[in-house]
Amino acid sequence: MIGSLRRTLKAAATAPGLAVVLLSLGLPALFLTSVQAAAQPRAAQTTSSADQVLTWTADDSMTAYKSTPDTATAGPATIVFENSTATGNTSFMTHTLTFDVSTPGYNHDVTVNIIASPIDGTGGRHEAQVNLTPGKYRFFCAIPGHGQMVGELVVTDGGGTDTTPPQVSAQVAGDQDEDGNYVGSATVTVSADDTESGVDTVEYSLDNGAFTAYSAPVSVNQVGAHTVRYRATDKAGNASEAGSLTFTVVAPQGEDTTPPQVSVAFTGNQDWAWNYVGSAKATISANDTESGVDKVEYSLDGQPFAVYAQPLTVAQPGTHTVTYRATDKAGNTSAVGTATFRLVKAASDAECPKPGKGNCKDK
């Protein structure tokens, strides 16, 4: 091969541009072919007696294989990778068929790494013997710049078509009181098993919420009754019926479950009809004898709740409503309180010739 290339280049000595083109096409392919030969001395030329033959082909594209298998059956198989002029490779481009052995979620027990070029020793057609196991394999082309040439091979159990859903169960653990309630918190563990194609996904739902992927035991610490539903799907697509369990979480004895006490008081000058004159000040007070007050919030005239830090002064004439609430350090929030008052504009001296007239009560 190298001698032939040298003779061609010598013949093209008067055409330097042709020599450059030949070098750019021939040398990378020769290098990759030598790497392949070192890694797989005779495997590429071995003819297999395996009943299952899986064929990949490649052409001039750097973004996709020309053809790939999608599914296979677990057990022995012959992998054929052809990257030749017969499969449409007219540019003598080198490709690989490489099985992923590191990405999570895939089988890593097949270490195929075939390098093929139309000008290698076998014309770009290679074979390898493998033993596939149920699950998914990821394959790709390892040549730089060919990263989009990637795909998946789904392998099902060689014993036959899996039509049986997984077995799935759940159990609750935690400290329990004499009535069987879980004190403080409960931990739910879901288990699934499938002896044919294998478990693909496990899901759970808490208190009629949407199903979500289960990856670790679920801790439930909200006081009250709870229901957990659970299900599993195998790699053949069979889904189990949803199972369910119920349990109750209660607060530990001595734990604060009582919300704070909260109130509001108003100060300011008032007229004979008890309207506040000029301005009014609202002071909110909260008390919690167990875990203590964490925060106090208020809302004026339907505005969003804001953190209360100091007395609130109101100077806009009209009717006003203050709503308020408090939360303690154990997370208990009081019911919302409401207070309404009316504010009128202060009268000038000309409007109050005599004290006690109109809104001049305090003049």
Side-chain angles (χ1 to χ4, degrees):
M1 177 68 70
I2 294 177
S4 175
L5 180 61
R6 285 175 177 169
R7 287 193 296 274
T8 303
L9 291 177
K10 184 176 179 180
T14 57
L18 177 59
V20 171
V21 171
L22 289 172
L23 279 171
S24 66
L25 293 173
L27 291 181
L30 288 172
F31 171 74
L32 290 172
T33 302
S34 66
V35 172
Q36 173 199 359
Q40 304 178 27
R42 293 178 179 268
Q45 300 180 19
T46 301
T47 300
S48 170
S49 60
D51 293 336
Q52 184 174 206
V53 178
L54 306 173
T55 302
W56 281 256
T57 63
D59 51 21
D60 292 332
S61 173
M62 296 188 298
T63 60
Y65 289 96
K66 183 175 182 180
S67 67
T68 65
D70 296 323
T71 60
T73 302
T78 298
I79 287 181
V80 176
F81 178 41
E82 184 169 356
N83 176 35
S84 67
T85 55
T87 61
N89 191 328
T90 61
S91 62
F92 307 108
M93 184 181 300
T94 299
H95 294 297
T96 79
L97 174 61
T98 305
F99 273 45
D100 191 328
V101 293
S102 61
T103 301
Y106 295 96
N107 293 358
H108 298 147
D109 55 348
V110 171
T111 56
V112 167
N113 184 28
I114 301 173
I115 302 170
S117 167
I119 58 174
D120 64 25
T122 61
R125 188 180 189 280
H126 301 264
E127 292 184 7
Q129 306 306 312
V130 299
N131 190 49
L132 302 173
T133 55
K136 290 191 297 185
Y137 292 88
R138 178 179 180 270
F139 56 84
F140 62 95
C141 179
I143 301 298
H146 297 195
Q148 295 183 59
M149 296 178 65
V150 62
E152 292 183 353
L153 176 68
V154 177
V155 178
T156 57
D157 192 324
T161 303
D162 179 6
T163 59
T164 305
Q167 298 292 317
V168 61
S169 61
Q171 60 181 11
V172 188
D175 295 331
Q176 291 179 274
D177 61 17
E178 60 184 9
D179 296 321
N181 301 313
Y182 290 88
V183 180
S185 67
T187 300
V188 180
T189 301
V190 182
S191 302
D193 180 65
D194 189 275
T195 59
E196 297 185 56
S197 61
V199 175
D200 186 32
T201 61
V202 179
E203 300 172 293
Y204 77 97
S205 164
L206 177 62
D207 296 336
N208 295 318
F211 274 95
T212 188
Y214 173 88
S215 59
V218 180
S219 179
V220 181
N221 53 27
Q222 182 68 40
V223 171
H226 300 280
T227 299
V228 172
R229 294 183 296 154
Y230 48 90
R231 65 190 184 191
T233 303
D234 64 22
K235 292 177 181 177
N238 302 300
S240 69
E241 293 185 2
S244 67
L245 56 81
T246 59
F247 58 93
T248 299
V249 175
V250 296
Q253 291 184 356
E255 183 176 329
D256 179 8
T257 60
T258 305
Q261 299 291 318
V262 60
S263 61
V264 64
F266 298 95
T267 57
N269 294 332
Q270 291 179 280
D271 63 12
W272 61 273
W274 305 110
N275 299 312
Y276 288 92
V277 180
S279 67
K281 182 180 292 185
T283 301
I284 302 174
S285 300
N287 180 56
D288 189 274
T289 59
E290 296 183 58
S291 61
V293 175
D294 182 42
K295 64 180 178 180
V296 177
E297 298 171 291
Y298 76 94
S299 167
L300 178 64
D301 297 335
Q303 295 297 311
F305 274 95
V307 175
Y308 174 84
Q310 59 185 7
L312 174 67
T313 298
V314 181
Q316 180 67 36
T319 300
H320 299 280
T321 299
V322 174
T323 52
Y324 49 92
R325 65 189 181 194
T327 303
D328 63 22
K329 294 178 180 179
N332 303 300
T333 300
S334 68
V336 174
T338 302
T340 300
F341 64 96
R342 180 172 175 75
L343 183 67
V344 296
K345 181 179 179 182
S348 64
D349 290 342
E351 296 171 324
C352 292
K354 295 181 180 181
K357 301 292 185 178
N359 64 356
C360 306
K361 178 178 179 182
D362 299 306
K363 288 288 184 181

